[in-house]
mmCIF file of all heavy atoms in Angstrom:
data_model
loop_
_atom_site.group_PDB
_atom_site.id
_atom_site.type_symbol
_atom_site.label_atom_id
_atom_site.label_comp_id
_atom_site.label_asym_id
_atom_site.label_seq_id
_atom_site.Cartn_x
_atom_site.Cartn_y
_atom_site.Cartn_z
ATOM 1 N N ASN A 211 48.586 6.612 -22.629
ATOM 2 C CA ASN A 211 50.021 6.661 -22.362
ATOM 3 C C ASN A 211 50.761 6.716 -23.705
ATOM 4 O O ASN A 211 50.144 6.705 -24.775
ATOM 5 C CB ASN A 211 50.471 5.497 -21.477
ATOM 6 C CG ASN A 211 50.343 4.149 -22.136
ATOM 7 O OD1 ASN A 211 49.827 4.011 -23.244
ATOM 8 N ND2 ASN A 211 50.815 3.117 -21.451
ATOM 9 N N GLU A 212 52.090 6.761 -23.671
ATOM 10 C CA GLU A 212 52.887 6.967 -24.888
ATOM 11 C C GLU A 212 52.658 5.909 -25.954
ATOM 12 O O GLU A 212 52.633 6.213 -27.145
ATOM 13 C CB GLU A 212 54.368 7.054 -24.537
ATOM 14 C CG GLU A 212 54.714 8.323 -23.789
ATOM 15 C CD GLU A 212 56.161 8.372 -23.380
ATOM 16 O OE1 GLU A 212 56.959 7.521 -23.809
ATOM 17 O OE2 GLU A 212 56.501 9.302 -22.622
ATOM 18 N N ASP A 213 52.507 4.661 -25.555
ATOM 19 C CA ASP A 213 52.309 3.613 -26.561
ATOM 20 C C ASP A 213 50.830 3.252 -26.760
ATOM 21 O O ASP A 213 50.501 2.335 -27.503
ATOM 22 C CB ASP A 213 53.138 2.370 -26.240
ATOM 23 C CG ASP A 213 52.761 1.717 -24.917
ATOM 24 O OD1 ASP A 213 51.789 2.153 -24.283
ATOM 25 O OD2 ASP A 213 53.451 0.747 -24.527
ATOM 26 N N GLY A 214 49.934 3.982 -26.111
ATOM 27 C CA GLY A 214 48.505 3.794 -26.309
ATOM 28 C C GLY A 214 47.932 2.530 -25.708
ATOM 29 O O GLY A 214 46.829 2.124 -26.050
ATOM 30 N N THR A 215 48.657 1.899 -24.780
ATOM 31 C CA THR A 215 48.172 0.639 -24.182
ATOM 32 C C THR A 215 47.375 0.843 -22.909
ATOM 33 O O THR A 215 46.708 -0.068 -22.445
ATOM 34 C CB THR A 215 49.349 -0.307 -23.881
ATOM 35 O OG1 THR A 215 50.239 0.356 -22.968
ATOM 36 C CG2 THR A 215 50.086 -0.692 -25.145
ATOM 37 N N LYS A 216 47.460 2.013 -22.332
ATOM 38 C CA LYS A 216 46.719 2.316 -21.100
ATOM 39 C C LYS A 216 46.209 3.746 -21.159
ATOM 40 O O LYS A 216 46.674 4.551 -21.955
ATOM 41 C CB LYS A 216 47.618 2.168 -19.865
ATOM 42 C CG LYS A 216 47.954 0.740 -19.511
ATOM 43 C CD LYS A 216 48.368 0.666 -18.057
ATOM 44 C CE LYS A 216 48.709 -0.726 -17.647
ATOM 45 N NZ LYS A 216 47.581 -1.620 -17.564
ATOM 46 N N TYR A 217 45.254 4.027 -20.285
ATOM 47 C CA TYR A 217 44.732 5.385 -20.153
ATOM 48 C C TYR A 217 44.902 5.836 -18.714
ATOM 49 O O TYR A 217 44.555 5.108 -17.789
ATOM 50 C CB TYR A 217 43.244 5.435 -20.535
ATOM 51 C CG TYR A 217 43.019 5.265 -22.002
ATOM 52 C CD1 TYR A 217 42.907 3.997 -22.563
ATOM 53 C CD2 TYR A 217 42.942 6.370 -22.844
ATOM 54 C CE1 TYR A 217 42.712 3.838 -23.931
ATOM 55 C CE2 TYR A 217 42.744 6.223 -24.205
ATOM 56 C CZ TYR A 217 42.636 4.951 -24.741
ATOM 57 O OH TYR A 217 42.453 4.807 -26.084
ATOM 58 N N TYR A 218 45.474 7.029 -18.555
ATOM 59 C CA TYR A 218 45.541 7.659 -17.251
ATOM 60 C C TYR A 218 44.255 8.462 -17.090
ATOM 61 O O TYR A 218 43.882 9.225 -17.977
ATOM 62 C CB TYR A 218 46.756 8.585 -17.148
ATOM 63 C CG TYR A 218 48.065 7.869 -17.323
ATOM 64 C CD1 TYR A 218 48.806 8.013 -18.487
ATOM 65 C CD2 TYR A 218 48.548 7.031 -16.320
ATOM 66 C CE1 TYR A 218 50.005 7.347 -18.656
ATOM 67 C CE2 TYR A 218 49.734 6.351 -16.481
ATOM 68 C CZ TYR A 218 50.468 6.517 -17.650
ATOM 69 O OH TYR A 218 51.643 5.839 -17.809
ATOM 70 N N CYS A 219 43.576 8.273 -15.985
ATOM 71 C CA CYS A 219 42.315 8.987 -15.802
ATOM 72 C C CYS A 219 42.314 9.678 -14.445
ATOM 73 O O CYS A 219 42.913 9.205 -13.481
ATOM 74 C CB CYS A 219 41.123 8.052 -15.955
ATOM 75 S SG CYS A 219 41.344 6.403 -15.348
ATOM 76 N N ARG A 220 41.619 10.817 -14.441
ATOM 77 C CA ARG A 220 41.538 11.584 -13.197
ATOM 78 C C ARG A 220 40.256 12.392 -13.188
ATOM 79 O O ARG A 220 39.641 12.631 -14.229
ATOM 80 C CB ARG A 220 42.740 12.500 -13.026
ATOM 81 C CG ARG A 220 42.815 13.623 -14.022
ATOM 82 C CD ARG A 220 44.136 14.414 -13.882
ATOM 83 N NE ARG A 220 44.147 15.518 -14.814
ATOM 84 C CZ ARG A 220 43.826 16.774 -14.516
ATOM 85 N NH1 ARG A 220 43.488 17.090 -13.280
ATOM 86 N NH2 ARG A 220 43.846 17.717 -15.431
ATOM 87 N N VAL A 221 39.859 12.771 -11.980
ATOM 88 C CA VAL A 221 38.744 13.703 -11.797
ATOM 89 C C VAL A 221 39.394 14.979 -11.272
ATOM 90 O O VAL A 221 39.813 15.029 -10.115
ATOM 91 C CB VAL A 221 37.693 13.152 -10.808
ATOM 92 C CG1 VAL A 221 36.589 14.173 -10.587
ATOM 93 C CG2 VAL A 221 37.129 11.832 -11.316
ATOM 94 N N PRO A 222 39.518 15.995 -12.124
ATOM 95 C CA PRO A 222 40.236 17.203 -11.720
ATOM 96 C C PRO A 222 39.691 17.864 -10.452
ATOM 97 O O PRO A 222 40.454 18.481 -9.706
ATOM 98 C CB PRO A 222 40.066 18.136 -12.924
ATOM 99 C CG PRO A 222 39.821 17.221 -14.077
ATOM 100 C CD PRO A 222 39.067 16.059 -13.512
ATOM 101 N N ASP A 223 38.415 17.738 -10.179
ATOM 102 C CA ASP A 223 37.819 18.379 -9.003
ATOM 103 C C ASP A 223 38.075 17.625 -7.699
ATOM 104 O O ASP A 223 37.818 18.170 -6.623
ATOM 105 C CB ASP A 223 36.309 18.532 -9.199
ATOM 106 C CG ASP A 223 35.980 19.531 -10.293
ATOM 107 O OD1 ASP A 223 36.598 20.609 -10.318
ATOM 108 O OD2 ASP A 223 35.116 19.224 -11.125
ATOM 109 N N LEU A 224 38.541 16.381 -7.784
ATOM 110 C CA LEU A 224 38.779 15.570 -6.584
ATOM 111 C C LEU A 224 40.284 15.332 -6.460
ATOM 112 O O LEU A 224 40.838 14.458 -7.128
ATOM 113 C CB LEU A 224 38.021 14.241 -6.670
ATOM 114 C CG LEU A 224 36.512 14.335 -6.929
ATOM 115 C CD1 LEU A 224 35.898 12.941 -7.014
ATOM 116 C CD2 LEU A 224 35.821 15.178 -5.870
ATOM 117 N N PRO A 225 40.974 16.096 -5.616
ATOM 118 C CA PRO A 225 42.434 15.978 -5.506
ATOM 119 C C PRO A 225 42.887 14.552 -5.217
ATOM 120 O O PRO A 225 42.374 13.885 -4.322
ATOM 121 C CB PRO A 225 42.777 16.902 -4.332
ATOM 122 C CG PRO A 225 41.617 17.839 -4.226
ATOM 123 C CD PRO A 225 40.417 17.067 -4.692
ATOM 124 N N GLY A 226 43.822 14.078 -6.026
ATOM 125 C CA GLY A 226 44.379 12.745 -5.838
ATOM 126 C C GLY A 226 43.539 11.619 -6.403
ATOM 127 O O GLY A 226 43.902 10.456 -6.267
ATOM 128 N N CYS A 227 42.444 11.931 -7.025
ATOM 129 C CA CYS A 227 41.569 10.889 -7.595
ATOM 130 C C CYS A 227 42.075 10.574 -9.002
ATOM 131 O O CYS A 227 41.647 11.180 -9.988
ATOM 132 C CB CYS A 227 40.114 11.358 -7.607
ATOM 133 S SG CYS A 227 38.979 10.043 -8.060
ATOM 134 N N ILE A 228 43.025 9.632 -9.062
ATOM 135 C CA ILE A 228 43.712 9.276 -10.304
ATOM 136 C C ILE A 228 43.832 7.759 -10.360
ATOM 137 O O ILE A 228 44.088 7.106 -9.348
ATOM 138 C CB ILE A 228 45.128 9.886 -10.335
ATOM 139 C CG1 ILE A 228 45.053 11.415 -10.215
ATOM 140 C CG2 ILE A 228 45.887 9.485 -11.586
ATOM 141 C CD1 ILE A 228 46.376 12.075 -9.939
ATOM 142 N N THR A 229 43.670 7.187 -11.549
ATOM 143 C CA THR A 229 43.848 5.753 -11.735
ATOM 144 C C THR A 229 44.175 5.477 -13.199
ATOM 145 O O THR A 229 44.357 6.409 -13.976
ATOM 146 C CB THR A 229 42.598 4.964 -11.257
ATOM 147 O OG1 THR A 229 42.892 3.576 -11.264
ATOM 148 C CG2 THR A 229 41.399 5.254 -12.117
ATOM 149 N N THR A 230 44.281 4.219 -13.565
ATOM 150 C CA THR A 230 44.558 3.844 -14.958
ATOM 151 C C THR A 230 43.595 2.752 -15.392
ATOM 152 O O THR A 230 43.004 2.065 -14.558
ATOM 153 C CB THR A 230 45.995 3.313 -15.141
ATOM 154 O OG1 THR A 230 46.161 2.147 -14.336
ATOM 155 C CG2 THR A 230 47.030 4.352 -14.778
ATOM 156 N N GLY A 231 43.489 2.590 -16.704
ATOM 157 C CA GLY A 231 42.671 1.521 -17.260
ATOM 158 C C GLY A 231 43.258 1.054 -18.574
ATOM 159 O O GLY A 231 43.982 1.802 -19.242
ATOM 160 N N ASP A 232 42.951 -0.177 -18.961
ATOM 161 C CA ASP A 232 43.490 -0.749 -20.194
ATOM 162 C C ASP A 232 42.736 -0.287 -21.438
ATOM 163 O O ASP A 232 43.246 -0.386 -22.543
ATOM 164 C CB ASP A 232 43.461 -2.282 -20.131
ATOM 165 C CG ASP A 232 44.409 -2.810 -19.063
ATOM 166 O OD1 ASP A 232 45.437 -2.152 -18.806
ATOM 167 O OD2 ASP A 232 44.121 -3.870 -18.488
ATOM 168 N N SER A 233 41.524 0.195 -21.258
ATOM 169 C CA SER A 233 40.717 0.712 -22.366
ATOM 170 C C SER A 233 39.909 1.876 -21.812
ATOM 171 O O SER A 233 39.850 2.078 -20.601
ATOM 172 C CB SER A 233 39.781 -0.374 -22.900
ATOM 173 O OG SER A 233 38.825 -0.725 -21.905
ATOM 174 N N ILE A 234 39.270 2.625 -22.685
ATOM 175 C CA ILE A 234 38.422 3.729 -22.208
ATOM 176 C C ILE A 234 37.320 3.184 -21.307
ATOM 177 O O ILE A 234 37.038 3.736 -20.243
ATOM 178 C CB ILE A 234 37.823 4.523 -23.396
ATOM 179 C CG1 ILE A 234 38.899 5.382 -24.053
ATOM 180 C CG2 ILE A 234 36.658 5.386 -22.955
ATOM 181 C CD1 ILE A 234 39.322 6.595 -23.254
ATOM 182 N N GLU A 235 36.703 2.071 -21.720
ATOM 183 C CA GLU A 235 35.621 1.490 -20.922
ATOM 184 C C GLU A 235 36.125 1.090 -19.542
ATOM 185 O O GLU A 235 35.478 1.352 -18.523
ATOM 186 C CB GLU A 235 35.007 0.279 -21.627
ATOM 187 C CG GLU A 235 34.281 0.598 -22.913
ATOM 188 C CD GLU A 235 35.212 0.788 -24.127
ATOM 189 O OE1 GLU A 235 36.409 0.398 -24.060
ATOM 190 O OE2 GLU A 235 34.746 1.342 -25.117
ATOM 191 N N ASP A 236 37.296 0.447 -19.515
ATOM 192 C CA ASP A 236 37.903 0.034 -18.255
ATOM 193 C C ASP A 236 38.270 1.259 -17.421
ATOM 194 O O ASP A 236 38.047 1.296 -16.211
ATOM 195 C CB ASP A 236 39.139 -0.822 -18.541
ATOM 196 C CG ASP A 236 39.809 -1.339 -17.277
ATOM 197 O OD1 ASP A 236 39.089 -1.836 -16.386
ATOM 198 O OD2 ASP A 236 41.045 -1.242 -17.184
ATOM 199 N N ALA A 237 38.808 2.274 -18.068
ATOM 200 C CA ALA A 237 39.215 3.491 -17.363
ATOM 201 C C ALA A 237 38.007 4.199 -16.756
ATOM 202 O O ALA A 237 38.085 4.713 -15.636
ATOM 203 C CB ALA A 237 39.970 4.414 -18.315
ATOM 204 N N ILE A 238 36.890 4.234 -17.481
ATOM 205 C CA ILE A 238 35.672 4.858 -16.937
ATOM 206 C C ILE A 238 35.216 4.114 -15.688
ATOM 207 O O ILE A 238 34.871 4.719 -14.669
ATOM 208 C CB ILE A 238 34.557 4.902 -18.002
ATOM 209 C CG1 ILE A 238 34.907 5.916 -19.092
ATOM 210 C CG2 ILE A 238 33.198 5.239 -17.366
ATOM 211 C CD1 ILE A 238 33.994 5.892 -20.291
ATOM 212 N N GLU A 239 35.238 2.787 -15.754
ATOM 213 C CA GLU A 239 34.850 1.988 -14.585
ATOM 214 C C GLU A 239 35.808 2.234 -13.418
ATOM 215 O O GLU A 239 35.377 2.405 -12.277
ATOM 216 C CB GLU A 239 34.839 0.505 -14.962
ATOM 217 C CG GLU A 239 34.348 -0.392 -13.865
ATOM 218 C CD GLU A 239 34.289 -1.851 -14.279
ATOM 219 O OE1 GLU A 239 34.010 -2.136 -15.459
ATOM 220 O OE2 GLU A 239 34.526 -2.707 -13.412
ATOM 221 N N MET A 240 37.099 2.276 -13.704
ATOM 222 C CA MET A 240 38.103 2.460 -12.653
ATOM 223 C C MET A 240 37.982 3.850 -12.005
ATOM 224 O O MET A 240 38.039 3.968 -10.786
ATOM 225 C CB MET A 240 39.508 2.278 -13.227
ATOM 226 C CG MET A 240 39.779 0.885 -13.767
ATOM 227 S SD MET A 240 39.783 -0.381 -12.497
ATOM 228 C CE MET A 240 41.292 0.002 -11.671
ATOM 229 N N ILE A 241 37.813 4.900 -12.818
ATOM 230 C CA ILE A 241 37.759 6.240 -12.240
ATOM 231 C C ILE A 241 36.439 6.465 -11.508
ATOM 232 O O ILE A 241 36.396 7.172 -10.495
ATOM 233 C CB ILE A 241 38.034 7.350 -13.293
ATOM 234 C CG1 ILE A 241 38.408 8.664 -12.594
ATOM 235 C CG2 ILE A 241 36.868 7.539 -14.231
ATOM 236 C CD1 ILE A 241 39.660 8.634 -11.775
ATOM 237 N N THR A 242 35.366 5.849 -11.979
ATOM 238 C CA THR A 242 34.085 5.967 -11.266
ATOM 239 C C THR A 242 34.205 5.310 -9.893
ATOM 240 O O THR A 242 33.734 5.849 -8.881
ATOM 241 C CB THR A 242 32.942 5.343 -12.089
ATOM 242 O OG1 THR A 242 32.868 6.016 -13.352
ATOM 243 C CG2 THR A 242 31.610 5.463 -11.368
#
Side-chain angles (χ1 to χ4, degrees):
N211 66 355
E212 290 177 9
D213 62 6
T215 60
K216 288 201 180 290
Y217 289 86
Y218 299 107
C219 36
R220 67 186 182 98
V221 177
D223 292 315
L224 306 179
C227 189
I228 301 167
T229 189
T230 61
D232 294 330
S233 65
I234 286 287
E235 294 80 15
D236 182 46
I238 290 171
E239 185 178 327
M240 297 294 288
I241 198 63
T242 301

